[in-house]
Amino acid sequence: MRIAADVRRTVAQENDWRLEGQSRMHVHDTNHPHLPVPQRACLFLDFDGTLVNIAPTPDGVVVPTDLTALLDDLRDALGGRIALGAGRGVGSIETHLPAFAGIVIGGHGAEMRDQNGTMVRLAGCDTDTAGAHDWARQVGLKYPGVGVELKRTGAAIHFRQAPEWELSVRRAAEVFADETTGLAVQESHMAIELRPKCANKASAIEALMGANPFAGYRPIFAGDDQTDRPAMDFCQAAGGIAISVNGIHPTADIQLGSPRAVRALLRDWLG
């Protein structure tokens, strides 16, 4: 993946960003990792499985009572250099975190609520999703027990409650994507999604890193899903740190075992 030139220059100039010769860190959940001070960092956080536990359905997630306060404290300490990223749509994040005023990336990077609260589609991610919605509804009728999630940027079929349909749903999604311009199949936690081909969290983060207030700061990304790995790779290539939850990325700098451990790490990081 192409790394923005200004990010490469920043990495080369900021030698004190380095981890002082340390290799990738595998830390216990109770330990404080070697992270840059918040004044030198910017932070990107996945939602499901990273900040909150995975639930049987997207609407079923339970938001910890202290999460909103933690995110507010992080936003203050980072001078606004924080963004949440998710496969679910921005509107769904807003439903679960109505008080969070920071940047939200949704649809695997296809849409974003910017720092002014304005909804934007990221470049190239303007694929018409009406066909994907029709397809998802038909799949929901054909395979009993699967869940249908319609998004502004695509659609997802959840088979956590009906795992026997996994292969059938995957094949149906692959056939539909092959016949449709601009859509790609995305595998997630017990789900198969259709998303714009252009959409990924790494591209969204790269766009943010090229502008204020993120430009020139060391990126940190925490995630727990295959869809998060490109963003982890981007942040590491840009001189930052990747935090892997539940072993999703074996070469991440920091390995944690649960959303609770992520929240504890972030709270400890603030001091």
Side-chain angles (χ1 to χ4, degrees):
M1 178 171 292
R2 181 182 62 84
I3 306 300
D6 56 344
V7 174
R8 288 199 300 267
R9 286 195 297 270
T10 301
V11 172
Q13 292 166 357
E14 299 292 339
N15 291 328
D16 57 333
W17 281 7
R18 297 175 183 172
L19 293 179
E20 298 177 357
Q22 295 188 25
S23 60
R24 302 281 183 253
M25 295 180 62
H26 293 256
V27 301
H28 298 293
D29 290 355
T30 55
N31 288 347
H32 188 285
H34 188 164
L35 292 171
V37 295
Q39 292 80 4
R40 300 297 306 281
C42 55
L43 182 64
F44 305 97
L45 299 169
D46 175 51
F47 183 66
D48 295 278
T50 299
L51 290 176
V52 300
N53 292 333
I54 295 290
T57 65
D59 293 335
V61 297
V62 177
V63 177
T65 56
D66 63 342
L67 180 56
T68 296
L70 173 60
L71 292 174
D72 286 344
D73 290 345
L74 286 165
R75 188 165 180 256
D76 290 343
L78 291 161
R81 297 183 303 276
I82 180 173
L84 303 185
R88 64 172 71 218
V90 169
S92 181
I93 296 292
E94 291 175 331
T95 297
H96 292 289
L97 292 171
F100 178 67
I103 294 171
V104 179
I105 300 165
H108 300 291
E111 63 177 3
M112 180 171 63
R113 187 189 73 189
D114 67 17
Q115 58 189 334
N116 298 317
T118 302
M119 280 295 304
V120 296
R121 282 284 187 95
L122 298 182
C125 293
D126 54 355
T127 302
D128 183 7
T129 57
H133 289 184
D134 290 341
W135 168 84
R137 293 188 186 99
Q138 293 172 14
V139 170
L141 293 173
K142 185 175 182 179
Y143 301 111
V146 301
V148 176
E149 182 185 4
L150 304 181
K151 308 179 183 183
R152 280 183 295 224
T153 58
I157 304 296
H158 297 264
F159 49 82
R160 186 178 300 275
Q161 307 286 358
E164 65 273 18
W165 297 122
E166 177 181 359
L167 294 180
S168 298
V169 170
R170 178 180 291 108
R171 179 56 183 158
E174 290 170 347
V175 170
F176 183 82
D178 286 344
E179 298 173 348
T180 306
T181 301
L183 291 175
V185 175
Q186 178 70 66
E187 297 197 27
S188 188
H189 282 299
M190 301 298 287
I192 300 293
E193 304 188 41
L194 291 172
R195 60 163 177 80
K197 288 181 179 179
C198 69
N200 66 78
K201 295 176 186 177
S203 295
I205 290 172
E206 183 175 5
L208 288 174
M209 288 288 294
N212 289 326
F214 295 87
Y217 290 85
R218 189 179 183 191
I220 301 169
F221 183 91
D224 77 307
D225 193 281
Q226 290 290 345
T227 62
D228 297 320
R229 291 187 61 158
M232 294 184 194
D233 292 339
F234 172 82
C235 288
Q236 287 180 310
I241 287 180
I243 300 172
S244 171
V245 184
N246 287 324
I248 195 62
H249 200 323
T251 61
D253 303 279
I254 297 167
Q255 302 284 345
L256 297 176
S258 68
R260 181 178 180 180
V262 174
R263 298 192 303 272
L265 181 151
L266 294 173
R267 176 59 68 189
D268 190 34
W269 183 46
L270 291 176

